[in-house]
Amino acid sequence: AAAAAAGPFSLREVLDAFRRCVTEQREVLLEPYLSGWRGLIRFLQSLGAVFSFISKDAVAKVALLEAQHRQHRFVSLQSLVQHELAAGPAALRARPDSGCRTVLRLHRALRWLQLFLEGLRSGEPRTSVLCTDAYNASLAQHHPWVVRKAATVAFCALPSRDAFLEIMNVGSADEAVAMLGEAIPYIGDVYGITQELFAEHKLLDLP
Ligand code: 1PZ
């Protein structure tokens, strides 16, 4: 998986990773999940220094999960949740470094991504508007004022829709839009299964 880190970003690799995530038993596999995130982070890093406060946080969260993945050999999000819940819900809530609370942050960001990509696909040319709308409908409610403010400022530095479609590296704008149409349901599926898993175990508000 580490070998996939080199080379320019392509939306295709993110699509492939999220496609590989969901098993027939509706489990979310951790290795492709983290692989998808590594791809997204590289994309974010290619957008410039304005976004580094965002990518740094995502990098730290992915690194924490990678370390736990190596240590415990969790195959799926389901096995991670099961393992951490075994110590009891109170102990889990008290941990600032749990895999569950870390996944929850990425999970909320995945909802942002899904909404943002749907917006890009819709044809609205103002990416900062798309990004702000997607953010307000997802992550913003979980962020304090100062983070919301910084995020909103950064969104103004986003490239245009055409530039965005181009740096996705999947060919023409039409081809990029087609690939978005393919990728969004996979991302939505991963989001939906994780949401159900966390709701079932009452983990959607982990501090
Ligand atoms: C393409 C433009 C990128 C916009 C990304 C939209 C998300 C804005 C998020 C702003 C996050 C700012 C930095 C850190 C926030 C953390 O406080 C929170 C909560 O974690 P805690 O403090 O509880 O440990 N972190 C998050 O909410 C996770 C944010 C991950 C963002 C990943 C973005 C992925 C971008 C993919 C690009 C296509």
Side-chain angles (χ1 to χ4, degrees):
F9 170 86
S10 170
L11 179 66
R12 191 178 305 276
E13 107 202 20
V14 171
L15 164 67
D16 286 342
F18 285 113
R19 187 187 355 231
R20 281 191 293 122
C21 269
V22 178
T23 69
E24 264 172 50
Q25 293 75 35
R26 309 289 289 164
E27 290 203 311
V28 177
L29 299 174
L30 203 51
E31 191 278 323
Y33 187 83
L34 295 176
S35 181
W37 270 103
R38 282 191 293 268
L40 289 171
I41 288 168
R42 283 203 294 132
F43 183 71
L44 188 57
Q45 287 168 338
S46 77
L47 294 179
V50 200
F51 301 97
S52 58
F53 78 105
I54 303 174
S55 60
K56 273 185 193 140
D57 184 70
V59 164
K61 287 179 164 56
V62 168
L64 185 147
L65 291 170
E66 277 170 341
Q68 295 205 347
H69 181 52
R70 273 194 302 273
Q71 192 187 343
H72 299 287
R73 305 265 140 229
F74 299 127
V75 171
S76 63
L77 290 187
Q78 283 79 0
S79 50
L80 182 149
V81 167
Q82 205 164 39
H83 173 87
E84 290 193 340
L85 264 178
L92 177 53
R93 293 190 77 81
R95 284 181 60 194
D97 65 339
S98 71
C100 286
R101 61 101 51 206
T102 305
V103 167
L104 180 61
R105 271 58 185 180
L106 295 181
H107 168 67
R108 291 167 178 163
L110 213 56
R111 177 68 182 153
W112 166 83
L113 181 70
Q114 187 189 0
L115 295 173
F116 178 67
L117 295 182
E118 276 167 7
L120 267 186
R121 192 169 164 248
S122 77
E124 159 67 55
R126 292 165 301 164
T127 48
S128 61
V129 171
L130 287 178
C131 191
T132 305
D133 287 352
Y135 179 71
N136 287 339
S138 60
L139 280 171
Q141 56 196 292
H142 304 287
H143 287 165
W145 182 86
V146 60
V147 170
R148 290 204 303 268
K149 197 72 203 161
T152 311
V153 170
F155 295 163
C156 298
L158 281 175
S160 68
R161 178 173 188 271
D162 288 349
F164 235 108
L165 294 176
E166 189 166 330
I167 51 185
M168 287 178 169
N169 261 317
V170 286
S172 68
D174 285 348
E175 286 169 312
V177 168
M179 183 153 297
L180 285 178
E182 219 185 309
I184 291 166
Y186 287 110
I187 294 170
D189 211 21
V190 170
Y191 179 85
I193 295 172
T194 312
Q195 179 72 14
E196 233 174 80
L197 174 70
F198 275 62
E200 182 192 335
H201 296 289
K202 307 205 162 37
L203 298 175
L204 284 170
D205 64 345
L206 273 185

